[in-house]
Amino acid sequence: MAEREALRVQISVLPRIQDPLSVDEFIEPLAEQVVDEDSDIIEAIVAIYGHDENEDEEEVEGELEEPLPLLADAIEALTTLQRFEISRDDSSQSIRALDQLAMEFIALMVIKRLKQR
């Protein structure tokens, strides 16, 4: 707060500035604020992470591969990894990557549920 007040005082003494913006207005102007609705966020997630299942089938067609794990199984495995990383007590940076992956998996589940409706 003291730094903000010092900045305000410095700005107020500048020549030729009659109506200065506050520090908050300068950092986050009202014209640049974004307010997203939940539906907008879900659409963005679908656009980024959604894919056409037919494309996957065409690529795999003719190849015999082990079946892919279910999303629920992947989430369960991820939860195990997160618990392991938390228990290590060595300030591991891996937990951030695992948290990011968890958010991606949750987005996939949301997309899957939306498609089922």
Side-chain angles (χ1 to χ4, degrees), residues 15 17 19-20 22-23 28 37 39-40 42-44 50 57 71 76 85 87 89 93-94 97-98 102 112 116:
I17 297 185
D19 188 21
S22 71
V23 174
E28 190 175 0
E37 299 293 324
S39 60
D40 296 333
I42 291 173
E43 286 176 17
E57 290 175 9
L71 182 56
E76 185 178 336
E85 282 298 314
S87 70
D89 280 339
Q93 299 298 318
S94 300
L98 293 172
K112 185 177 180 181
Q116 290 175 350

Side-chain angles (χ1 to χ4, degrees):
M1 289 304 237
E3 291 175 347
R4 286 180 181 229
E5 183 60 26
L7 282 173
R8 190 193 63 73
V9 170
Q10 289 176 358
I11 292 170
S12 67
V13 297
L14 291 173
R16 296 180 288 186
I17 297 185
Q18 297 172 355
D19 188 21
L21 294 173
S22 71
V23 174
D24 292 327
E25 290 173 320
F26 179 77
I27 292 172
E28 190 175 0
L30 290 175
E32 293 182 9
Q33 289 182 353
V34 176
V35 178
D36 286 325
E37 299 293 324
D38 288 343
S39 60
D40 296 333
I41 295 170
I42 291 173
E43 286 176 17
I45 291 170
V46 170
I48 293 170
Y49 296 106
H51 64 281
D52 187 4
E53 292 178 7
N54 293 332
E55 289 178 9
D56 290 344
E57 290 175 9
E58 291 171 6
E59 291 175 10
V60 177
E61 195 172 301
E63 298 177 20
L64 295 177
E65 291 186 20
E66 187 174 312
L68 295 174
L70 298 174
L71 182 56
D73 295 339
I75 291 172
E76 185 178 336
L78 178 61
T79 302
T80 301
L81 285 171
Q82 287 174 311
R83 288 180 35 229
F84 173 78
E85 282 298 314
I86 290 170
S87 70
R88 285 180 41 188
D89 280 339
D90 64 350
S91 302
S92 171
Q93 299 298 318
S94 300
I95 193 68
R96 288 187 183 137
L98 293 172
D99 288 344
Q100 178 65 33
L101 191 55
M103 289 180 5
E104 290 179 25
F105 283 179
I106 290 169
L108 288 173
M109 294 226 15
V110 168
I111 292 166
K112 185 177 180 181
R113 287 187 179 152
L114 288 174
K115 286 182 179 180
Q116 290 175 350
R117 288 185 182 180

